Each structure stands twice: as C-alpha cells, then as structure tokens.
Amino acid sequence: MKVRCVWRIYGLAAMLAILALNPPPAFAASGFSDDPDAVEVAANSVFMLEVYGANSRKIATGSGFVAFDSSTLVTNYHVVEGGAYVVALGDDAEQYIIDSACIVDRQLDLAILHFSKPASAAPLPLQAEDQLKRSQRVVAIGSPAGLKNTVSIGNISGFYNQNGKNWIQFTAPISSGSSGGALLDDNGKVVGITTASYASTQNVNLAIRSASLIALYKHWDGKTFKSLGAVTGGGAASAVSISAETSGGTVWVTGSGKKYHSSPTCSKMKNPVEMDLMDAIQNGYKPCGKCFK
C-alpha cells in the first residue's frame, strides 16, 4: 500500500511538472461582443434615419453612425437617395435634422453627411487596416424594420470585390432598415458599413469596408458642404432646418389645418396647439408659407 501511495505521489508530481512546462492554452480574453456596456456606448453613436423628400413626405428609413468627428454622419447613398433632408434619431431621444452633405459616392454607395450642430455622440473609431479574417467575430448595430439600434452578433464569412466595392460577407443578422449601420470588430472598431443581404438565403449579409469610407472622406476638401437634395436628386428642402433652429424643435398646429407654424401668434392660426417638430413632419404637416419664407 505504501509503495502504491509513493508511486501516486511521484506520478502526480510528474504530471504537475509536465503541466508547468506545457500549460494548457488560456481562454481568449473577452472582446467587444462580450461586453454589453461597451456595446451600449457604441450604440449611442448609431442613429435611425428617416429620409424626407422636398414635400416633407417620408420616403425611406435606414441607419447611420457618427464617424471622423461629432459633426459627421455616415450612411449608404441608397438610404438618402432622392431625399432633401434626414431626421436622425438617437438612443438618447435626441433628434437632428441633416440637410447638407460633405461628399457622396453613388457607385460606392456611401454618403458622408454633416450635422448642422455637433451631435452629443462620440465618433466611432474606424479600422482601416486589412487585418480581417474569416470566422472573426463582428457586431452589427442598426435599425432593421425601424427597430432603433438593434444589436446582432455573428462572424465574418468571406471577402470579395464586385462592381468596384470591397465587400465583407458576414452572418450577424440584418434586414431592411439596417443599411448604413455599423459593423464592428471585437476591438469595438468599425470595419464596415452594413449595406445589403441576400433575401433568398440565410445570414448572407454584406458590408462595405471602412477603408473605402476613409478613402472617400479624404477626397473631401474639409470645408465645402452641399445641399443633400442637390447631390441625391431630392430637390430643395423646405424650411424645416430653419424652423428647428428658430423654435427649438417646437412648432404650432391647428386641428383644422395641415400646416405647422414657428409661432402661435401667426395670423393664420386659430386655437394653436404646441407640437414637436418631428411629430408634425411625420403627421404630414407642411411649413407655413408666411412663417417660413
């Protein structure tokens, strides 16, 4: 019995010595996708977009995110195509009206827009280096079907170039409304702009690489802004952006009319009711021609 015990002790000691020399592989440290608090912070910089034509009718919805600086919003060109202005809705209930662009590229399907005043959200960091690999974990944040800042997790499936676009194929679920959203790696950096998916397949989704976005941004002179309607074919915007500046986002309406006014003392108003500007737009009200010349 004593011999057996000695051998067991020696055997255990030998095993411990071997493990000390050849330790088992350690589990990888948790990344961005496993950190709900970090994802929440990133989601604060992603916006649901409502796109309006020159007649103040909503024509599209999509997603966008703050990048480069707090005055710059990134999305897909096809999200804003035909729009005169965009209403950006954030997690914190803040609303921004955007009616100017820094630079757009229809072929790349990218649009870099300009906030009239800096957003409170921080710009998301971009990953420009070509370090992506298949099976790498990614997080998509966007507003599919108008469900603001939905988060989904998946992995990178592959890469390819088609029609001048450098695509990332990934499995994190997206759908209509996710276009223009952020695809982040496990370091919390944006590696792509979520753009498209194959409807007839399961989780075959595509994002445009951040490198293409950075290259487009470098082509902008840094100071010239163009009317969003002029570069997307949406025509001239109504005086919505002016009303937001002068009335602090509040307008006045009447139950019998379909105009919104910058002041309750407008001579064309009877029994004015205060309303949020965004609610007025979404309910089909148009700017008063006297208030907003």
Side-chain angles (χ1 to χ4, degrees):
M1 293 293 296
K2 291 183 179 180
V3 174
R4 289 199 192 106
C5 290
V6 169
W7 275 109
R8 284 176 182 171
I9 293 172
Y10 285 159
L12 178 61
M15 184 179 294
L16 291 175
I18 292 172
L19 289 174
L21 293 174
N22 300 281
F27 289 105
S30 296
F32 175 76
S33 61
D34 295 315
D35 188 342
D37 291 332
V39 173
E40 283 291 326
V41 171
N44 289 331
S45 298
V46 183
F47 289 81
M48 184 173 77
L49 306 185
E50 296 181 338
V51 184
Y52 293 83
N55 59 359
S56 294
R57 295 289 183 181
K58 185 163 65 174
I59 61 174
T61 61
S63 306
F65 60 92
V66 182
F68 302 109
D69 58 50
S70 58
S71 295
T72 306
L73 182 81
V74 171
T75 188
N76 284 127
Y77 179 86
H78 77 258
V79 170
V80 298
E81 186 173 16
Y85 63 92
V86 174
V87 177
L89 307 169
D91 257 359
D92 55 5
E94 281 195 276
Q95 301 175 340
Y96 299 89
I97 295 180
I98 302 169
D99 60 5
S100 59
C102 304
I103 188 169
V104 303
D105 191 309
R106 185 172 185 174
Q107 182 177 359
L108 287 176
D109 198 8
L110 292 173
I112 302 176
L113 311 182
H114 178 68
F115 288 101
S116 58
K117 62 177 182 179
S120 60
L124 294 177
L126 303 176
Q127 172 59 272
E129 299 179 8
D130 189 12
Q131 298 176 338
L132 304 180
K133 293 179 174 59
R134 283 172 292 191
S135 82
Q136 184 174 329
R137 184 77 68 91
V138 287
V139 177
I141 307 177
S143 300
L147 300 173
K148 186 167 61 177
N149 285 356
T150 297
V151 174
S152 60
I153 299 175
N155 62 274
I156 292 177
S157 306
F159 313 94
Y160 62 94
N161 182 288
Q162 186 178 48
N163 299 326
K165 299 184 185 72
N166 288 313
W167 292 112
I168 301 171
Q169 180 188 337
F170 64 97
T171 64
I174 63 171
S175 59
S176 178
S178 298
S179 294
L183 186 70
L184 303 105
D185 65 12
D186 233 11
N187 294 315
K189 293 186 176 182
V190 178
V191 296
I193 301 87
T194 56
T195 301
S197 61
Y198 285 92
S200 60
T201 60
Q202 186 175 8
N203 287 343
V204 179
N205 307 311
L206 302 174
I208 298 171
R209 283 178 178 261
S210 292
S212 297
L213 173 65
I214 294 170
L216 179 62
Y217 185 75
K218 288 180 178 179
H219 278 88
W220 178 49
D221 65 10
K223 56 186 179 182
T224 302
F225 303 101
K226 297 180 180 179
S227 165
L228 181 62
V231 296
T232 68
S238 61
V240 174
S241 58
I242 297 174
S243 68
E245 293 282 340
T246 58
S247 67
T250 299
V251 294
W252 283 263
V253 302
T254 59
S256 59
K258 292 303 290 184
K259 302 286 186 181
Y260 63 80
H261 308 259
S262 65
S263 169
T265 60
C266 177
S267 62
K268 294 187 177 183
M269 295 194 72
K270 294 181 180 180
N271 302 319
V273 176
E274 188 174 351
M275 183 179 285
D276 182 82
L277 173 63
M278 298 300 102
D279 292 335
I281 293 173
Q282 291 169 8
N283 282 283
Y285 287 90
K286 295 183 179 180
C288 168
K290 180 177 179 181
C291 295
F292 306 107
K293 293 182 179 179

